[in-house]
Amino acid sequence: MKNIEVYGTGEECIWCVRCCELLDSMGEEYIYKNVREDEDAMTFITGLGLRSVPQVFIDGVLIGGYTELQKELS
């Protein structure tokens, strides 16, 4: 099983929502981290120099956002 983590800002971010919907529709388990509510998640993302969400990691490797997740899962 893949270890999938999605970093986002919640329901106000349509691409964050779409990542979760895509993963749900494919039956993939994942961990969602809201960078506005989780200071450690924000520190992690900004420490990597990332300034936008969503950011998706599969098995600890950054794959990018929604478009890249779509490609990875197809």
Side-chain angles (χ1 to χ4, degrees), residues 2-6 23 28-32 56-59 69 73:
K2 298 175 187 174
N3 177 20
I4 303 172
E5 294 182 335
V6 179
L23 290 164
E28 294 284 351
E29 291 185 24
Y30 61 95
I31 297 170
Y32 188 85
V56 181
F57 292 78
I58 297 179
D59 295 329
L69 176 62
L73 296 178

Side-chain angles (χ1 to χ4, degrees), residues 7 10 14-15 27 31 35 37 40 43 46 52 54 63 68 71:
Y7 290 78
I14 188 64
W15 297 110
I31 297 170
V35 298
E37 297 173 358
D40 291 336
T43 300
T46 57
S52 64
I63 64 160
E68 293 80 13
K71 290 177 186 174

Side-chain angles (χ1 to χ4, degrees), residues 10-70:
E11 293 183 10
E12 64 193 52
C13 169
I14 188 64
W15 297 110
C16 300
V17 171
R18 287 187 180 170
C19 279
C20 294
E21 289 174 345
L22 177 61
L23 290 164
D24 289 339
S25 74
M26 301 201 68
E28 294 284 351
E29 291 185 24
Y30 61 95
I31 297 170
Y32 188 85
K33 297 188 179 187
N34 187 325
V35 298
R36 292 205 173 143
E37 297 173 358
D38 183 336
E39 188 175 323
D40 291 336
M42 176 64 90
T43 300
F44 174 69
I45 290 297
T46 57
L48 294 174
L50 302 171
R51 298 181 182 263
S52 64
V53 291
Q55 296 295 334
V56 181
F57 292 78
I58 297 179
D59 295 329
V61 177
L62 175 63
I63 64 160
Y66 176 79
T67 303
E68 293 80 13
L69 176 62
Q70 223 178 3

